[in-house]
Amino acid sequence: MPDSPRWRRLAACAALSLLGLGAVAGGCGDSSDRATLSVLAASSTREVMRELGVAYHREHRDVQVRFTFGGSQEMAARLPERGAGDVLVTADEVTMNEADENLTGRRRVIAHNAMTIVVRPGNPRRVRGLRDLTRPGLRVALAASTVPAGRYARKIFKGAGITVRSAAEEISVRAVLDRVRTGEADAGLVYITDLKAAGVAASSVPIPALENVTATYAAGAVRDGPNEKEAARFVSWLTSPVARQLFNKYGFVTPAP
């Protein structure tokens, strides 16, 4: 009869199963059949992506999803490093296109968003709209121009015919939100969905639809990643009915199937 650690472990698992202790035996599977997907994602997707990872694991029990969040450009810059990640999720298509040589397969548009003005609770500086951001003495935080949220903000300002001087240029949209939440800035431009994450720690001044922009989120599998096939499957799944429902729950708009 075979005698090895693996054989003894399998025999023990079989015994547990016969005793009806399936939950205890749940860790008895062969770990070599499991995969851990590493997803590099835009910081504005933090809450929804974590729930998406749980939902994906529920459907694909052999796959765990691990996330690293930051500015889209920061995440894309990691791709040339071997084993940096399996999937890239960006808050714009520009960054996704710039990362093209490190990606493989079909890119997917997975969600849309829009911008809003974030202010401190109660709006103590009485910001009423975009043009108020030009007021002398108002401390405005923006994402850097290399960051999707920064590009979107400057596009909005250009369309409105105004010049807004930034008191701080951040590496991610969540850093902008944090500046306002901590009182280091009076106002900033963030995604509408960021206000959901801020809760009562921030207030919003809406930007009219005609002056706003549509932010497009995209996902792609990393070329020669350790889990390339599974990465492609996850990217495709991000447009599934389950994924769309979760994006909508967090305030994102999803493209038509």
Side-chain angles (χ1 to χ4, degrees):
M1 177 176 271
D3 185 19
S4 69
R6 182 175 183 274
W7 175 263
R8 289 194 294 272
R9 180 168 57 83
L10 290 174
C13 289
L16 288 171
S17 296
L18 287 172
L19 290 171
L21 300 178
V24 177
C28 293
D30 189 345
S31 61
S32 64
D33 293 334
R34 300 172 189 167
T36 299
L37 273 184
S38 178
V39 179
L40 306 175
S43 62
S44 54
T45 67
R46 182 177 286 117
E47 291 75 21
V48 66
M49 277 293 162
R50 284 174 174 161
E51 191 162 347
L52 285 164
V54 172
Y56 190 77
H57 176 63
R58 193 178 296 125
E59 293 185 21
H60 305 85
R61 301 301 297 182
D62 58 336
V63 182
Q64 294 281 354
V65 188
R66 183 182 65 201
F67 296 97
T68 300
F69 298 101
S72 295
Q73 79 299 333
E74 178 190 2
M75 297 297 96
R78 296 189 182 195
L79 296 187
E81 302 171 17
R82 186 172 181 81
D86 300 297
V87 175
L88 176 67
V89 177
T90 64
D92 69 348
E93 292 182 287
V94 172
T95 306
M96 185 63 66
N97 291 337
E98 289 175 348
D100 185 70
E101 65 180 19
N102 295 304
L103 302 173
T104 186
R106 180 182 175 188
R107 281 52 141 184
R108 302 271 185 165
V109 171
I110 57 175
H112 297 293
N113 211 339
M115 305 292 286
T116 190
I117 302 170
V118 60
V119 294
R120 296 175 65 190
N123 194 6
R125 296 302 303 272
R126 300 292 183 265
V127 176
R128 303 301 182 195
L130 288 171
R131 284 152 191 81
D132 285 342
L133 299 180
T134 65
R135 287 194 333 226
L138 191 76
R139 296 171 302 168
V140 179
L142 298 172
S145 59
T146 55
V147 180
R151 281 196 284 265
Y152 291 134
R154 286 158 180 79
K155 185 175 180 180
I156 288 172
F157 297 151
K158 183 177 180 180
I162 60 175
T163 299
V164 177
R165 289 179 172 79
S166 174
E169 296 214 345
E170 304 295 343
I171 62 170
S172 74
V173 70
R174 286 300 173 89
V176 174
L177 180 63
D178 287 343
R179 281 274 185 178
V180 177
R181 289 174 62 183
T182 58
E184 296 177 67
D186 301 310
L189 256 64
V190 300
Y191 299 114
I192 289 174
T193 54
D194 290 318
L195 267 297
K196 225 174 165 54
V200 298
S203 298
S204 172
V205 178
I207 300 173
L210 291 178
E211 296 183 314
N212 217 318
V213 295
T214 298
T216 298
Y217 288 72
V222 177
R223 184 184 305 279
D224 299 326
N227 300 290
E228 192 173 308
K229 289 184 178 179
E230 188 59 49
R233 183 163 67 157
F234 179 72
V235 168
S236 179
W237 180 86
L238 288 174
T239 63
S240 69
V242 171
R244 288 201 303 272
Q245 186 176 11
L246 288 174
F247 276 120
N248 295 157
K249 172 185 173 181
Y250 283 88
F252 293 88
V253 175
T254 48

